[in-house]
C-alpha cells in the first residue's frame, strides 16, 4: 500500500510516492548505466522509503554493483527478467530525446535537463542542479583511510605510486569518432619516457595496464585515479568513475569529439592526439 504526498515547487506540483518500487532500465552501454546509477543514488538518499530498481544488460551488472552497494533501497536486475513490467526508460536518447535536443553537444547541461525529466516521470524532484552534482562520490571509490587518506583493495595499490593514468579503453558508443589507437599508444610511450604511467588497456609497451589484473573493475579505475597526478582519458565507460569529487581538480585531458563534457576544471578537451600532445607540451609536461 502506498501513500502520496503532494509538494508544490514554484508553479509545478510534484507527487512523492512512498513505500513503493520504481523500476528504471537502460539497454545500452556501461557509461550510460553508471551515470544513471549516480542519479539514482541521490534519489534514493532523498527518498529512503522508495525502493529503486534498475535493470541493465546482465554482463554489466558486476561492474555496476559497487556504485550502489551501500544503499539498501537500490537493487540491480537483469534487463531480460523485466519484460512486461512497468518501468521508465533511463536511456538519454529514449524517444530521440538526446539527438533532437539543443543541448546534445554539451554533456553536463544536457544531463541536468535529462535527470530533471526522469525525476518528474517518477513523480520526484531531481536533486541535481549544477554540473558538479554529476561527479561520482560513492563510498567504494574511497574506502577506509590511511595516512594519505586512502586505503584500497590490493589490486589497486599494486599500481601505486605512479604519475599519469591513461584511460585508453575503446569507446563503444562513438564518443571519440576519430580515435587513433596508434597515435595514442605513441603518446603513452612518450609519457612513459618521463613518468610512471598506468593504462587501462594493454599497449604492448613496458607500461602496466589495469586489464592485466583479474577482477579489476571500473570502480577500481576510479579509485586508482585518486592517486594520479594527471589523467589522460578517452571518454568511455571505464573513464567515468575517474570523474569524481576527489579528482575534480586533477589536471585532465579528455579525448572526445562529439560533445563538451563541462564537468571539471583544469580540463582540456581534445579532438585528436596531436591536440593532446600540444596541450601537454604547452603545460611543460612533455
Amino acid at each position: 500500500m502506498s501513500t502520496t504526498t503532494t509538494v508544490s515547487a514554484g508553479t509545478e506540483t510534484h507527487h512523492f510516492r512512498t513505500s513503493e518500487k520504481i523500476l528504471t532500465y537502460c539497454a545500452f552501454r556501461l557509461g550510460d548505466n553508471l551515470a544513471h546509477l549516480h542519479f539514482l543514488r541521490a534519489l534514493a538518499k532523498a527518498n529512503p522509503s522508495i525502493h529503486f530498481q534498475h535493470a541493465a544488460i546482465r554482463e554489466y551488472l558486476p561492474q555496476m554493483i559497487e556504485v550502489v552497494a551501500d544503499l539498501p533501497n537500490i537493487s540491480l536486475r537483469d534487463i531480460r527478467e523485466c519484460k512486461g513490467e512497468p518501468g521508465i526508460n533511463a536511456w538519454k536518447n529514449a524517444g530521440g530525446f538526446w539527438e533532437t535536443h539543443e543541448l546534445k553537444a554539451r554533456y553536463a547541461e544536457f544531463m541536468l535537463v535529462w535527470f530533471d525529466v526522469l525525476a518528474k516521470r517518477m513523480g520526484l524532484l531531481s536533486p541535481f542542479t549544477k554540473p558538479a552534482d554529476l561527479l561520482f562520490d560513492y563510498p567504494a571509490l574511497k574506502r577506509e583511510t590511511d595516512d594519505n587518506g586512502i586505503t584500497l583493495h590490493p589490486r589497486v595499490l599494486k599500481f601505486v605510486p605512479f604519475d599519469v593514468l591513461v584511460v585508453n579503453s575503446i569507446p563503444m558508443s562513438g564518443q571519440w569518432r576519430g580515435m587513433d589507437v596508434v597515435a595514442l599508444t605513441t603518446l603513452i610511450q612518450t609519457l612513459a619516457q618521463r613518468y610512471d604511467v598506468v593504462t587501462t588497456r594493454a599497449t604492448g609497451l613496458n607500461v602496466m595496464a589495469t586489464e592485466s589484473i583479474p577482477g579489476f573493475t571500473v570502480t577500481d579505475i576510479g579509485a586508482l585515479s585518486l592517486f594520479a597526478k594527471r589523467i589522460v582519458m578517452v571518454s568511455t565507460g571505464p573513464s567515468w568513475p575517474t570523474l569524481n569529487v576527489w579528482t575534480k581538480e586533477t589536471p585532465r585531458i579528455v579525448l572526445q569529439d562529439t560533445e563538451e563534457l563541462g564537468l571539471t576544471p583544469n580540463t582540456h578537451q581534445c579532438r585528436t592526439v596531436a591536440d593532446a600532445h600540444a596541450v601537454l607540451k604547452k603545460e611543460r609536461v612533455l
Side-chain angles (χ1 to χ4, degrees):
M1 188 74 179
S2 66
T3 60
T4 301
T5 302
T6 301
V7 177
S8 294
T11 60
E12 298 181 356
T13 299
H14 302 268
H15 303 283
F16 291 78
R17 297 181 296 265
T18 58
S19 303
E20 66 174 86
K21 177 189 77 175
I22 295 178
L23 171 66
T24 58
Y25 60 91
C26 179
F28 286 85
R29 300 298 182 182
L30 178 61
D32 295 300
N33 283 283
L34 294 175
H36 180 68
L37 288 184
H38 176 58
F39 170 62
L40 275 192
R41 285 187 59 86
L43 286 179
K45 288 180 179 179
N47 302 276
S49 63
I50 297 177
H51 180 202
F52 295 88
Q53 294 186 348
H54 181 65
I57 296 171
R58 181 179 180 180
E59 289 73 18
Y60 291 152
L61 298 183
Q63 294 283 344
M64 296 164 54
I65 187 62
E66 289 178 294
V67 182
V68 297
D70 61 303
L71 295 177
N73 59 326
I74 299 182
S75 57
L76 302 180
R77 298 178 64 185
D78 182 343
I79 198 167
R80 295 174 298 182
E81 299 174 354
C82 301
K83 289 183 178 179
E85 294 186 35
I88 297 170
N89 194 339
W91 184 41
K92 68 181 181 180
N93 198 35
F97 188 84
W98 172 79
E99 64 188 3
T100 59
H101 202 281
E102 62 182 359
L103 293 175
K104 71 176 185 178
R106 297 160 71 177
Y107 177 84
E109 293 176 61
F110 170 82
M111 292 305 291
L112 291 175
V113 172
W114 173 236
F115 286 145
D116 185 61
V117 167
L118 277 183
K120 287 176 179 175
R121 289 178 183 173
M122 300 178 198
L124 302 174
L125 289 171
S126 174
F128 290 169
T129 60
K130 58 187 182 300
D133 293 334
L134 301 173
L135 295 174
F136 287 93
D137 60 357
Y138 58 98
L141 288 172
K142 193 171 187 284
R143 300 186 177 94
E144 300 295 326
T145 58
D146 59 14
D147 291 341
N148 296 317
I150 308 166
T151 298
L152 300 165
H153 192 283
R155 64 178 174 253
V156 174
L157 294 175
K158 179 181 181 67
F159 295 96
V160 179
F162 71 102
D163 301 308
V164 183
L165 174 63
V166 181
V167 181
N168 60 331
S169 303
I170 306 295
M172 302 304 291
S173 298
Q175 302 97 307
W176 189 21
R177 293 169 297 189
M179 183 171 188
D180 186 333
V181 174
V182 173
L184 182 56
T185 301
T186 299
L187 178 62
I188 292 168
Q189 185 176 36
T190 302
L191 284 166
Q193 290 172 357
R194 298 191 180 191
Y195 307 99
D196 289 326
V197 176
V198 174
T199 65
T200 57
R201 181 171 172 268
T203 58
L205 304 172
N206 188 26
V207 173
M208 293 184 70
T210 62
E211 76 169 5
S212 67
I213 307 299
F216 211 92
T217 67
V218 291
T219 289
D220 289 332
I221 293 171
L224 190 61
S225 72
L226 274 64
F227 292 91
K229 298 173 184 175
R230 185 173 297 270
I231 299 169
V232 177
M233 55 169 270
V234 176
S235 181
T236 180
S239 73
W240 235 232
T242 74
L243 293 161
N244 61 67
V245 297
W246 299 286
T247 63
K248 63 184 179 182
E249 300 292 339
T250 303
R252 183 187 305 259
I253 286 177
V254 176
L255 290 160
Q256 155 88 285
D257 57 11
T258 57
E259 59 188 356
E260 291 292 326
L261 290 187
L263 288 172
T264 52
N266 300 330
T267 295
H268 294 277
Q269 190 153 326
C270 299
R271 298 177 66 87
T272 68
V273 174
D275 292 342
H277 190 280
V279 168
L280 294 170
K281 196 91 169 175
K282 184 177 181 180
E283 295 187 344
R284 298 184 179 180
V285 177
L286 294 178

